Amino acid sequence: MAEREQIKKTPAKTEEETVEDIPATSKKGEELKAELDDLLDEIDEVLEDNAEEFVRAYVQKGGE
Amino acid sequence: MAIVKVLGLETEYGIIIRGAADPNPIAASSTLINAYVAELTRRVTWDFEDETPGRDARGFARDGAMPPEVETHLVNAVLTNGARYYVDHAHPEFSTPECADVWDVVLYDKAGELILARSVEAAARSLPPGQSLVVLKNNSDGKGNSYGTHENYLMDRALPFARIVQHVMPHFVTRQIFTGAGKVGTEAPSTGGIDVRYQLTQRADFFEEEVGLETTLKRPIVNTRDEPHCDSGKYRRLHVIVGDANMSEVATFLKVGTTALVLSMIEDDWFARAGRDFTLQAPVASMRRVSYDVGLTRPIPLADGRSMTALEMQWEHLDLARKYAEDRGLDSVGGAETGNEVLRRWEQVLAGLESDPMSLVSQLDWVAKYRMIEGYRERHGLAWDSPKLAALDLQYHDVRPERSLYARAGMEKLLDPASVVRAVTEPPETTRAYFRGKCLQRWASSIAAANWDSVVFDLGQDPLRRVPMMEPLRGTRAHVEELLGSVTSPAELLDRLGS
């Protein structure tokens, strides 16, 4: 789709136009893995102690 | 000419009380909100005078539809930031004040989360030992029960409702690729043979109709509630029930920003002018098909025989929106700067979804949650139906900072945290919410009640005096700050207003 290609090539006009963006994908694989490992460590710490009981007890009435 | 899209979000939060013999959700919701408002100087109650939730945009009233007066024994407060905070059915609900642009919507939606978090803290001080409240900003309990996050958009009354339905439906179905908050598994009775381990949205499982008035059963993709809370001769308020509650500021920004833009395009008949019609062959089935398509590759059929993926259809919408912006400008969505930021982020997110959805792990809820769940599953060798993954799904949405997994996901922030704190008590400056909020800050003890379109003063003598606010864009700081600063009492204010 030619139109679509055109859209994507239009440079975004932002204040940081001159600054090089560092998209998440350009991070090294190891760096991403380390980040995720840290996050998973944290999840282990804060996840409800008894996950099964928590999930079973979490019953809502429909709303709206 | 498209009118300014005055905007608002209403969020029903999930709630449970732990450690109680009788875990009654209505009592828990009341406890939560009472604990918060008890710490405020004086609670002003909501005025139901103009509530008509049974009125239908297609032009008829439903028998038996009643304003929620039947529940007036429940907590119902108006806050000094212009918001409404109350018990709706069995949930605490926070309605943002009216906002004149998408930045304010994101701001007041976050302020709402902070108010709920403070409420949990306040309740903890009053609950018996061993009891605690858990409050989640999500839309499903994972067991087939859903509660809503509703968007509101001010629209021109002159517009035929059928045209809104025709052109907004495809956007509602396909915007899920960036609005979804993510969910483990499915709660739909049938998935059409698709193995659903994880899906994009919380809500897609719960929609059964294309158009209708219901919100609690047989939910429609386009809701027809016709209750504008302002001059009904000029305006309608499109009540959108199809979205997820977002934790991500970027996702909320895009959910509301793109929809406001699409609605402006509909008001200016832009789809017809461009000769574009994305009417879907089967909108309800397509809702689910899109939500179940984490790979973003499955096409959905259009009424004209074509088919395209949700991502392709969103590119088409963006393309039309860009041309609309060039031709008609962006005044209706908060001006050029704000509108262009919506377009820029819309493009960025679609490009990310196309090349590598995981590149949006800091922007979109469904991606952030997916990475956590998949990572955790791998680390602990869990099956997809493990309760630990279900717990993780729920806890992503926990409003308590010490428990929230969203808070640990490293998500991009659009807001200055200090501005969120200020928005807990200060109203937006560019809608009538400013007048409501400022009056409440100064004269709460002289205000008998307030609602979206009026403030009712009690000056100690009969009768009560109602100040109508039928225009959402009047009563702004620019309109009334000087007046409010020049009077010393509510009586003087009313004299000056001629009420």
Side-chain angles (χ1 to χ4, degrees):
Chain A
M1 252 176 272
E3 275 174 356
R4 209 173 81 199
E5 289 307 313
Q6 202 178 359
I7 291 174
K8 286 192 290 178
K9 281 169 193 159
T10 309
K13 282 185 189 164
T14 68
E15 286 169 21
E16 300 113 325
E17 212 170 4
T18 53
V19 181
E20 278 291 19
D21 260 346
I22 307 168
T25 39
S26 76
K27 282 185 189 168
K28 290 196 182 98
E30 289 153 33
E31 199 183 331
L32 280 174
K33 192 176 178 311
E35 266 180 26
L36 181 59
D37 277 341
D38 289 348
L39 177 60
L40 295 176
D41 289 344
E42 263 198 276
I43 292 175
D44 271 328
E45 277 169 37
V46 301
L47 198 62
E48 292 286 343
D49 292 335
N50 189 341
E52 203 158 343
E53 186 272 332
F54 175 62
V55 170
R56 194 172 50 237
Y58 188 73
V59 180
Q60 298 294 292
K61 293 198 174 181
E64 310 173 72
Chain B
M1 196 56 198
I3 65 165
V4 172
K5 294 283 152 292
V6 179
L7 311 162
L9 274 178
E10 310 162 30
T11 306
E12 290 180 345
Y13 287 75
I15 186 168
I16 52 167
I17 184 160
R18 308 183 83 183
D22 171 27
N24 177 334
I26 299 173
S29 300
S30 301
T31 301
L32 177 81
I33 299 174
N34 272 326
Y36 183 78
V37 296
E39 296 186 0
L40 306 175
T41 45
R42 182 181 179 274
R43 188 171 106 209
V44 172
T45 58
W46 191 258
D47 175 15
F48 288 106
E49 180 77 13
D50 294 314
E51 302 262 325
T52 49
R55 190 177 296 158
D56 194 301
R58 292 165 298 184
F60 45 85
R62 183 177 59 169
D63 282 347
M66 271 194 299
E69 282 167 297
V70 286
E71 294 179 356
T72 45
H73 61 286
L74 298 177
V75 187
N76 206 323
V78 195
L79 306 181
T80 57
N81 64 1
R84 181 186 182 194
Y85 188 25
Y86 62 115
V87 180
D88 190 22
H89 303 285
H91 300 272
E93 175 158 339
F94 177 84
S95 297
T96 68
E98 306 90 327
C99 299
D101 71 35
V102 63
W103 292 112
D104 271 354
V105 176
V106 178
L107 176 64
Y108 284 91
D109 184 57
K110 273 292 155 192
E113 281 175 36
L114 184 53
I115 285 168
L116 270 289
R118 288 182 178 182
S119 302
V120 172
E121 282 174 28
R125 291 192 277 273
S126 63
L127 283 169
Q131 291 190 14
S132 64
L133 291 172
V134 178
V135 174
L136 307 184
K137 190 193 185 197
N138 69 352
N139 302 103
S140 154
D141 66 359
K143 302 174 183 69
N145 304 306
S146 185
Y147 32 100
T149 298
H150 299 171
E151 302 147 54
N152 298 294
Y153 301 87
L154 193 73
M155 295 194 73
D156 189 340
R157 170 65 63 176
L159 190 67
F161 194 74
R163 198 204 294 168
I164 303 177
V165 173
Q166 180 186 359
H167 293 301
V168 85
M169 185 100 70
H171 182 59
F172 284 165
V173 171
T174 56
R175 70 176 193 167
Q176 292 184 91
I177 60 176
F178 52 81
T179 63
K183 185 168 76 175
V184 175
T186 173
E187 296 161 272
S190 157
T191 63
I194 299 171
D195 177 21
V196 182
R197 294 168 168 179
Y198 185 84
Q199 60 176 306
L200 304 185
T201 72
Q202 296 257 308
R203 289 280 275 174
D205 282 336
F206 300 100
F207 285 81
E208 299 173 66
E209 303 281 344
E210 293 178 19
V211 184
L213 188 56
E214 300 290 347
T215 57
T216 53
L217 45 98
K218 297 239 174 253
R219 293 184 184 87
I221 296 172
V222 179
N223 184 271
T224 56
R225 179 181 293 189
D226 188 8
E227 194 185 13
H229 296 309
C230 58
D231 185 342
S232 60
K234 290 168 72 176
Y235 306 116
R236 68 168 76 250
R237 174 181 62 115
L238 186 69
H239 188 61
V240 176
I241 69 168
V242 78
D244 282 5
N246 289 109
M247 304 302 298
S248 157
E249 295 173 12
V250 174
T252 300
F253 182 85
L254 281 174
K255 174 176 68 184
V256 177
T258 64
T259 302
L261 196 43
V262 166
L263 292 172
S264 292
M265 289 156 64
I266 295 172
E267 274 179 344
D268 285 331
D269 211 12
W270 198 250
F271 289 87
R273 282 168 202 272
R276 308 301 267 281
D277 183 356
F278 300 107
T279 301
L280 299 170
Q281 198 182 90
V284 174
S286 295
M287 271 297 292
R288 295 182 191 175
R289 191 172 169 83
V290 169
S291 185
Y292 300 162
D293 181 20
V294 180
L296 308 174
T297 54
R298 292 188 198 127
I300 52 174
L302 274 65
D304 62 11
R306 291 180 294 163
S307 64
M308 55 175 85
T309 66
L311 183 55
E312 285 168 343
M313 203 179 294
Q314 279 296 311
W315 278 119
E316 297 266 358
H317 277 73
L318 173 61
D319 177 37
L320 273 180
R322 279 205 185 285
K323 288 176 181 152
Y324 173 80
E326 279 164 27
D327 194 75
R328 300 300 175 93
L330 293 159
D331 288 350
S332 65
V333 292
E337 200 175 326
T338 299
N340 281 322
E341 182 63 7
V342 171
L343 290 167
R344 187 184 74 82
R345 285 196 173 268
W346 195 356
E347 177 183 336
Q348 190 186 57
V349 158
L350 297 186
L353 288 170
E354 188 159 276
S355 62
D356 173 16
M358 283 304 133
S359 68
L360 300 169
V361 71
S362 306
Q363 276 87 39
L364 300 184
D365 286 316
W366 76 262
V367 180
K369 190 191 277 181
Y370 182 80
R371 180 179 70 146
M372 280 186 189
I373 285 178
E374 180 58 17
Y376 198 82
R377 198 183 67 82
E378 253 181 34
R379 175 186 277 198
H380 296 281
L382 301 171
W384 273 98
D385 61 358
S386 160
K388 288 225 180 230
L389 299 188
L392 203 155
D393 187 343
L394 294 173
Q395 214 174 314
Y396 181 82
H397 303 271
D398 199 314
V399 300
R400 298 170 296 175
E402 71 275 17
R403 288 288 184 180
S404 166
L405 299 187
Y406 158 78
R408 288 162 172 76
M411 303 292 277
E412 181 184 353
K413 298 283 168 27
L414 304 180
L415 303 168
D416 164 19
S419 72
V420 180
V421 172
R422 197 162 57 241
V424 166
T425 50
E426 288 295 321
E429 297 183 350
T430 48
T431 65
R432 64 186 176 190
Y434 182 80
F435 180 79
R436 181 189 311 123
K438 286 291 161 185
C439 286
L440 285 166
Q441 284 177 4
R442 280 181 74 182
W443 299 305
S445 61
S446 300
I447 296 173
N451 67 14
W452 298 120
D453 54 25
S454 66
V455 177
V456 180
F457 286 87
D458 180 357
L459 302 182
Q461 68 227 36
D462 287 329
L464 298 178
R465 293 167 74 179
R466 178 184 293 265
V467 178
M469 299 186 291
M470 301 311 282
E471 285 291 339
L473 292 175
R474 295 187 56 183
T476 66
R477 181 175 175 188
H479 289 136
V480 301
E481 186 181 34
E482 205 182 316
L483 170 68
L484 291 172
S486 69
V487 299
T488 54
S489 71
E492 201 182 336
L493 174 71
L494 292 171
D495 283 347
R496 293 275 299 276
L497 286 170
S499 290

